[in-house]
Amino acid sequence: MTDAWWLMPLLAGLLLASVAGPLGSFVVWKRMAFFGDTLAHGALLGITFGVLTDINLTLALILGSLLLALVLLPLEQRSRLASDTLLGIVSHSTLAIGLVTLSLAQGVRVDLMGYLFGDLLAVAEADVSWIAIAAVLTGGLLFWQWRALLAVTISPELASIDGHPVKRLNLLLILLLALIVALAMKVVGILLVSALLIIPPAAARSVARSPAQMALTASLVGMASVMLGLWASFRWDTPAGPSVVVSATLLFALSLVVQEVRERKRA
């Protein structure tokens, strides 16, 4: 793990995990897990656009996710369908459209397995730069608007009475989520990206005693998952992205044990 070859993947994973923890906490509190999944699946259209227009794939991925988030938010609010039904339709439709379009594009070769399951070990310096910028931006905005976002999450009605711009704060959260989802795809892939946002906060929720403590603990759990996943990938030659998710799952199981022990001591 001290080899310089590991530094870029390790740094990319740690940066993403550090902001995915607090952002994922809001995802858990607001029950937006399926929303993040839909953004991940729909982001493949961004990749398709980037491939067909020959622009930077990371930029195309980010733009695709942000545009999809801007479309999904009003669509979800105005649709007569249940939220999970609408998101399920959009999620699978956009994923299928992206895959079909890529297969029809002549002379185009794309590492779909890398995008579907992540390719953390292939992260380059340019990818780390994108992730670092996004991490600083996301972390800064979450810190700046923490109290307001928390108020909107707890009670939108009371937050509105207190003068918080509820719609703008919800939009901010959605756009930050889209940004991190787009970049996290490089680490864990389309099919596992939601796990990076949900599992660490879920593990933190079992042991934390306040929202701020949960967000911080979720970051630490996510970062520990990245380090354990990379170690496991190196030790047993397993896929890095899924290994990170498995590590997070094990830490979640450990958090349940800790919670059970605490409850027994109180009893």
Side-chain angles (χ1 to χ4, degrees):
M1 289 293 288
T2 58
D3 196 310
W5 184 72
W6 285 89
L7 290 180
M8 290 299 106
L10 179 62
L11 183 57
L14 292 178
L15 284 170
L16 270 175
S18 67
V19 292
L23 189 60
S25 297
F26 284 103
V27 170
V28 171
W29 293 329
K30 294 173 74 70
R31 299 181 181 178
M32 294 170 59
F34 208 8
F35 198 100
D37 216 27
T38 302
L39 288 175
H41 287 186
L44 187 62
L45 287 178
I47 298 171
T48 304
F49 175 74
V51 169
L52 296 179
T53 58
D54 198 28
I55 66 172
N56 183 281
L57 285 184
T58 302
L59 179 59
L61 191 59
I62 292 172
L63 291 175
S65 294
L66 293 176
L67 287 174
L68 182 59
L70 290 173
V71 171
L72 272 177
L73 190 59
L75 186 64
E76 186 182 16
Q77 293 172 346
R78 297 176 185 176
S79 175
R80 295 182 179 180
L81 293 173
S83 177
D84 58 343
T85 302
L86 174 66
L87 291 175
I89 292 172
V90 175
S91 173
H92 300 299
S93 299
T94 51
L95 179 61
I97 292 171
L99 290 172
V100 170
T101 305
L102 282 176
S103 69
L104 293 175
Q106 296 182 354
V108 173
R109 289 178 177 252
V110 179
D111 180 18
L112 287 178
M113 291 298 290
Y115 283 109
L116 290 176
F117 295 101
D119 195 2
L120 179 56
L121 300 184
V123 169
E125 288 186 24
D127 299 312
V128 175
S129 298
W130 280 103
I131 292 171
I133 293 170
V136 171
L137 176 65
T138 302
L141 288 172
L142 285 176
F143 182 79
W144 177 42
Q145 295 290 341
W146 173 261
R147 291 184 181 276
L149 286 169
L150 196 58
V152 170
T153 300
I154 295 172
S155 175
E157 294 79 11
L158 289 178
S160 180
I161 293 172
D162 288 339
H164 294 296
V166 176
K167 290 185 178 180
R168 275 186 286 176
L169 288 169
N170 281 330
L171 178 61
L172 173 64
L173 188 62
I174 293 301
L175 292 178
L176 292 179
L177 177 61
L179 177 62
I180 296 304
V181 163
L183 293 172
M185 285 173 57
K186 192 74 175 179
V187 176
V188 292
I190 293 171
L191 301 180
L192 300 174
V193 67
S194 290
L196 189 64
L197 285 166
I198 297 169
I199 299 177
R205 194 173 194 173
S206 300
V207 296
R209 298 178 180 177
S210 70
Q213 193 178 86
M214 175 174 163
L216 178 60
T217 306
S219 286
L220 296 176
V221 170
M223 294 168 76
S225 300
V226 168
M227 290 187 287
L228 287 172
L230 281 174
W231 175 81
S233 177
F234 177 78
R235 179 68 175 78
W236 292 296
D237 194 26
T238 56
S243 297
V244 170
V245 175
V246 170
S247 299
T249 303
L250 292 175
L251 291 176
F252 171 70
L254 179 61
S255 72
L256 294 180
V257 174
V258 172
Q259 183 184 31
E260 181 67 22
V261 170
R262 282 184 175 179
E263 290 179 353
R264 288 186 178 183
K265 285 185 177 179
R266 290 173 185 172

